[in-house]
Amino acid sequence: MSEVHVYDVPDEWAKRAWIDDAKYRTMYKQSLDDPEAFWGEHGKRIDWFKPYTKVKNISWDIHNVSIKWYEDGETNVAYNCVDRHLEKRGDQVAIIWEGDNPNEQRLITYRELSEEVNRFANVLHWHGVKKGDRVTIYLPMIPEAAFAMLACARLGAIHSVVFGGFSPDAIAGRIEDAQCAVVITADEGLRGGRKVPLKANVDAALKKTSTVKHVLVVKRTGGEVDWTPGRDVWYHEAAARVSTTCPAEPVNAEDPLFILYTSGSTGTPKGVVHTTGGYLVFASMTHQYVFDYHEGDIYWCTADVGWVTGHSYIVYGPLANGATTLMFEGIPNYPSMSRFWEVIDKHKVNIFYTAPTAIRSLMGAGEEPVKKTSRASLRLLGSVGEPINPEAWEWYHRVVGDHRCPIVDTWWQTETGGILITPLPGATKLKPGSATRPFFGVIPEVVDGAGATLEGATEGNLVIADSWPGQMRTVYGDHERFVKTYFSTYPGKYFTGDGCRRDSDGFYWITGRVDDVINVSGHRMGTAEVESALVAHPKVSEAAVVGYPHDIKGQGIYAYVTVMEGVEPTEDLRKELVAWVRKEIGPIASPDLIQFAQGLPKTRSGKIMRRILRKIAENEYGALGDTSTLADPGVVTQLIDNRQNRK
Ligand code: 6R9
């Protein structure tokens, strides 16, 4: 291994930060020695209508997986993110909204946020939404997305946010799975100057599912949309008819707050369920300590609210803490490659949290677009979504942060609700590419394939040995799948699906997924999902999908396709298949490379040998390993000869 550059904690950081190294060690030890006492104390960071008397009640026994935190407490997430701030910071900006067009912005104070959320909740209530009902939110990055999420929370309804890049089929599947009666969308979205036909996508989705009674449409661009009278409602018209007071429904700590669909190694996306109390405690506490958030800071997370990062670190964590959170509608390279840095200067952003894929693509444009901006307000940088390669880390640190800003490389998952492994900027020395140490209460372990726990400096699969309050509680409607996916591989432990290395300092280095999930620009894709989209095409007989290293996206999608008898595997068919997958799932699932194959390598029992396909896609065909179990070894030579990734 090449030598690792270590960055010590700067003195001024150790002094000013909430947590220095000594405090980290003390608190971490407390959190493990007596989790009841530790989380009992920290649970008080949010307001409770009815205080809890029980803190932690966990069983990870595969015959009875049950996860409960603060189980007899009652609270409301919208109350915590909005109402409780009004007295002290009613006039403080809660949300800075920066439009796709640099001339568009909105500043929303906590008082205005309260009015908007109450109004939105009343509109939902009017359309029949009550506690426990599921609501699909398919919106662009506009403040109404946050209003809608908080409005659901206010009523005790469960939101299911669907990323605006998903196709009508993907929306329909998610609506159907959660049995949603209301969908909230916009006429169109706007990204990089281009329009996204959100309402039209919802219209197409609703042809395939019948649970939806009302579609609330927020006017964003004013573009033409089709209208189904009786079903479709303009949000602004409904909003004009309701008041700005709506009581916050008391909900139990374990009542669901949201469902968020995420890809796994098999089957259709899973509805990850997060509940109320533990989730909010964990999101707000990690937001405060990981980003060292202090009163008055301007905080910007560039994620989309369609992903968990947007849920926990644009909306819930920051607003629970009374922070000013920036919400950006656009993309990093529009209208120019300097956009991120210009937004930072315009709004005097202090804390900036983005993804390695964005850093790598901006790196490609050189230093000039960064250096022509000031960025003097920046104090801390963050990274999330995939492993960050040391070159990108160093560039982020040197060019964006002017050597001045620590970088928190935060490892977590949709399932974990909040950050689990991360540096704390006043406590943890930094090693580029390492997510470093566990957050309070988190017990990472490295296990081998057989499940043995490995000690010291080692490498293997990452599991977590005990629960934390932000943990997902179940897969919506399928608890068995929850148990099987996360608790059956290593009984008694939560299996993350990630591989990792632990070095001699006890620092963790996440090496990427060890299952059939690929991470494309920080977006999770199940290879099985792309495969089933491909085989749904009438000209495709068989398909196998794997990831391969991609300079900007981290991983690209490589598809092996066998066509039906009599079909010509042409360039046109290749384009047709890419367009097909985009239509079936969405643009994030577009195959980067398609290889037409006469046959796929299979064992004699008919199992596709993905290990071999992965190697060929990685252009590492010299090291195929044991191929003795192949039914027809000739297939492999053909695949190598026609490989698509030749760099
Ligand atoms: C928050 C989020 C989760 C998967 C996870 C891992 C990868 C996320 C990472 C990271 C290395 C980091 N991942 N953060 N890998 N270093 N700092 O991204 O959730 O979309 O569910 O993805 O992303 O592979 O298992 P999600």
Side-chain angles (χ1 to χ4, degrees), residues 262 308-309 383-387 409-415 496 498 510 513 519 522 524:
T262 193
V308 75
T309 307
S383 171
V384 62
E386 50 176 317
D409 175 1
T410 63
W411 175 85
W412 60 296
Q413 310 177 298
T414 306
E415 294 88 337
T496 63
D498 279 317
I510 311 297
R513 302 289 302 196
N519 192 326
R524 271 168 74 166

Side-chain angles (χ1 to χ4, degrees), residues 373-405:
T373 63
S374 151
R375 289 156 290 104
S377 57
L378 278 181
R379 201 175 66 235
L380 181 69
L381 302 172
S383 171
V384 62
E386 50 176 317
I388 181 164
N389 48 311
E391 301 70 39
W393 194 104
E394 295 284 0
W395 189 85
Y396 197 25
H397 188 258
R398 175 174 57 84
V399 180
V400 177
D402 287 323
H403 301 279
R404 184 185 73 241
C405 308

Side-chain angles (χ1 to χ4, degrees), residues 10-23:
D11 284 344
E12 82 269 19
W13 269 91
K15 281 200 207 94
R16 80 177 290 280
W18 291 110
I19 312 284
D20 62 13
D21 193 45
K23 196 151 183 212

Side-chain angles (χ1 to χ4, degrees), residues 297-363:
D297 283 342
I298 309 288
Y299 163 89
W300 180 16
C301 164
T302 69
D304 191 285
V305 289
W307 310 116
V308 75
T309 307
H311 284 57
S312 301
Y313 299 113
I314 294 177
V315 180
Y316 293 121
L319 295 178
N321 291 340
T324 299
T325 181
L326 193 150
M327 193 173 179
F328 176 45
E329 185 182 30
I331 55 175
N333 56 357
Y334 176 83
S336 80
M337 294 304 267
S338 296
R339 186 68 192 276
F340 272 0
W341 328 121
E342 285 165 2
V343 173
I344 287 172
D345 285 351
K346 176 174 173 188
H347 298 291
K348 303 281 175 289
V349 171
N350 308 114
I351 304 163
F352 178 69
Y353 189 31
T354 194
T357 187
I359 299 164
R360 286 192 298 264
S361 76
L362 293 168
M363 220 171 122

Side-chain angles (χ1 to χ4, degrees), residues 83-129:
D83 305 44
R84 69 162 172 166
H85 304 310
L86 291 178
E87 200 179 322
K88 198 169 151 206
R89 52 178 116 250
D91 296 322
Q92 181 202 308
V93 173
I95 298 176
I96 299 173
W97 177 74
E98 167 79 15
D100 185 55
N101 175 335
N103 300 321
E104 272 194 274
Q105 66 166 41
R106 273 175 81 181
L107 302 180
I108 298 148
T109 65
Y110 272 95
R111 197 175 324 285
E112 288 161 338
L113 179 63
S114 167
E115 284 171 19
E116 298 282 5
V117 171
N118 277 270
R119 196 176 357 240
F120 217 121
N122 277 330
V123 170
L124 289 173
H125 180 72
W126 254 101
H127 290 88
V129 176

